[in-house]
């Protein structure tokens, strides 16, 4: 079987397609024939060496497919089951992958496996952000940076459905309509106008209850400056680069603000919580109440180009590897 591996950390050029033996599942493991794998910024961080994995390693952290073999002591799934997963390293860029059985969730009947792969990591991220990190409620106002990206589009929909007013940010004019269609009430081209001043104008100086910031360096300061007293800055990504060290005094000066840097792994480490979140997200996609935008599909041999496109900032929605 074919897989995309990283032998040494580096740029997109280190992603190499190789032939490998078909893996055999050990105790507690399941082999899955991959239908599609997700492409995410965590893959970029691992490939570059910012997040360290033992070398060499297979790229990717999420996907969906059909169970082809099970190891000993597996009771969660059977051969032939349609399954999906997220936040499992070395499971996205290969024709066949090994996944711990406890990290698999069932894909609803009739749902395309490609959609399940597209929904998992970003969908679960949006779900924990609006339901757990900050319990979004009707009448609140939120900033969503990167509102036309994979997580951003899902956040806009989920927040809109909860009655939250969303102010989205995008970097290019052609992305404005996508954010508006997903539920943003207002969209700010943050590279063309002063983001803090524009949010101040849009909220009549009142500010927002929460900022969901997946962009990082380019939007963090403006976002946190527009929080209401006791508001929450949720920094969940760094698409534009890492945020420089922050003096906690700014939280005091802003009005007893809160700052958190959450990660999905801590919100799905318990299997019951994983099944709850995945059931809610996949169920919403299956019944049409949550819409996914697939922004690009790449064969294994084009993994390098997928990473270049993702980091380049010109993509929208979800990018997939399709073996």
């Amino acid at each position: 079987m074919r897989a995309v591996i990283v032998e040494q950390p580096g740029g997109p050029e280190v992603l190499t397609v190789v032939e490998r033996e078909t893996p055999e599942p050990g105790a507690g493991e399941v082999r899955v024939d991959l239908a599609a794998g997700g492409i995410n910024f965590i893959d970029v961080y691992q490939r570059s060496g910012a997040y360290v994995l033992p070398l060499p390693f297979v790229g990717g952290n999420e996907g969906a497919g059909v169970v082809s073999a099970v190891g000993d002591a597996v009771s969660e799934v059977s051969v032939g089951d349609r399954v999906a997963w997220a936040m499992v390293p070395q499971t996205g860029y290969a024709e066949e992958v090994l996944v711990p059985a406890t990290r698999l969730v069932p894909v609803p009947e009739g749902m395309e496996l490609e959609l399940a792969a597209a929904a998992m990591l970003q969908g679960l991220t949006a779900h924990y952000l609006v339901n757990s990190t900050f319990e979004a409620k009707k009448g609140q106002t939120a900033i969503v940076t990167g509102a036309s990206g994979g997580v951003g589009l899902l956040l806009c929909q989920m927040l809109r459905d909860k009655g939250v007013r969303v102010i989205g940010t995008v970097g290019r004019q052609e992305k404005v309509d996508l954010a508006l269609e997903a539920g943003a009430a207002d969209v700010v081209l943050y590279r063309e106008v002063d983001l803090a001043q524009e949010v101040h104008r849009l909220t009549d100086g009142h500010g927002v209850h929460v900022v969901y910031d997946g962009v990082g360096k380019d939007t963090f300061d403006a976002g946190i400056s527009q929080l209401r007293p006791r508001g929450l800055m949720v920094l969940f990504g760094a698409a534009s680069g890492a945020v420089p060290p922050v003096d906690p005094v700014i939280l005091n000066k802003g009005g007893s603000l809160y700052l958190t840097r959450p990660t999905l792994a801590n919100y799905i480490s318990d299997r019951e919580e994983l099944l709850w979140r995945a059931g809610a997200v996949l169920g919403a996609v299956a019944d049409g109440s949550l819409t996914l935008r697939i922004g690009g599909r790449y064969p294994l041999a084009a993994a390098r180009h997928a990473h270049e496109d993702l980091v380049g900032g010109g993509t929208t929605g979800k990018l997939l590897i399709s073996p």
Side-chain angles (χ1 to χ4, degrees):
M1 67 98 182
R2 294 181 305 149
V4 177
I5 67 167
V6 174
E7 293 185 300
Q8 292 294 330
E13 69 280 358
V14 303
L15 295 168
T16 305
V17 180
V18 299
E19 292 282 345
R20 281 188 161 189
E21 293 293 327
T22 299
E24 294 299 326
E29 290 184 325
V30 173
R31 187 176 70 218
V32 181
D33 290 338
L34 192 77
I39 300 168
N40 301 284
F41 270 99
I42 188 174
D43 308 348
V44 175
Y45 304 150
Q46 290 170 348
R47 182 258 298 157
S48 68
Y51 292 177
V52 178
L53 291 179
L55 297 167
F57 63 85
V58 175
N61 291 267
E62 72 170 335
V66 178
V67 175
S68 60
V70 299
D72 294 336
V74 170
S75 59
E76 292 82 1
V77 297
S78 302
V79 172
D81 286 353
R82 294 163 11 105
V83 295
W85 63 92
M87 293 301 290
V88 182
Q90 305 194 64
T91 61
Y93 301 0
E95 292 175 327
E96 298 178 272
V97 296
L98 296 181
V99 185
T102 57
R103 308 314 299 161
L104 295 171
V105 301
V107 175
E109 185 176 353
M111 183 178 183
E112 295 181 8
L113 288 171
E114 183 183 69
L115 282 179
M120 284 298 291
L121 194 149
Q122 294 180 341
L124 296 179
T125 296
H127 186 273
Y128 86 72
L129 289 175
V130 305
N131 290 287
S132 301
T133 301
F134 179 87
E135 191 175 354
K137 298 177 181 178
K138 183 177 180 180
Q140 295 173 332
T141 303
I143 293 174
V144 174
T145 68
S148 64
V151 176
L153 291 172
L154 296 172
L155 280 172
C156 288
Q157 293 177 70
M158 292 182 184
L159 290 167
R160 174 202 60 198
D161 292 346
K162 287 178 175 288
V164 176
R165 178 190 177 191
V166 176
I167 299 173
T169 80
V170 298
R172 303 183 185 185
Q173 180 64 47
E174 60 268 25
K175 296 183 177 183
V176 171
D177 287 344
L178 291 175
L180 291 172
E181 291 168 6
D186 303 279
V187 180
V188 179
L189 286 161
Y190 73 93
R191 291 177 180 148
E192 298 182 11
V193 302
D194 185 286
L195 176 57
Q197 289 183 5
E198 186 64 5
V199 172
H200 186 272
R201 183 187 71 82
L202 290 170
T203 62
D204 294 325
H206 295 300
V208 302
H209 297 84
V210 61
V211 178
Y212 292 110
D213 190 1
V215 173
K217 179 172 63 70
D218 290 350
T219 53
F220 180 85
D221 289 342
I224 203 168
S225 76
Q226 292 306 301
L227 283 171
R228 299 184 181 203
R230 295 166 59 180
L232 174 63
M233 164 60 79
V234 183
L235 180 66
F236 68 92
S240 66
V243 174
V246 174
D247 183 349
V249 171
I250 69 170
L251 305 178
N252 173 280
K253 291 181 177 179
S256 299
L257 304 178
Y258 296 88
L259 167 63
T260 185
R261 179 60 173 92
T263 183
L264 174 58
N266 296 132
Y267 287 86
I268 57 172
S269 58
D270 176 81
R271 180 157 177 78
E272 287 188 8
E273 188 172 14
L274 168 64
L275 292 173
W276 165 54
R277 296 195 192 282
V281 171
L282 294 180
V285 174
D287 68 22
S289 58
L290 186 65
T291 301
L292 292 174
R293 176 182 176 83
I294 297 177
R297 299 172 178 84
Y298 301 80
L300 289 174
R304 168 182 177 175
H305 299 300
H307 278 222
E308 292 171 342
D309 290 346
L310 180 63
V311 174
T315 63
T316 59
K318 183 68 178 185
L319 305 186
L320 294 175
I321 287 283
S322 301

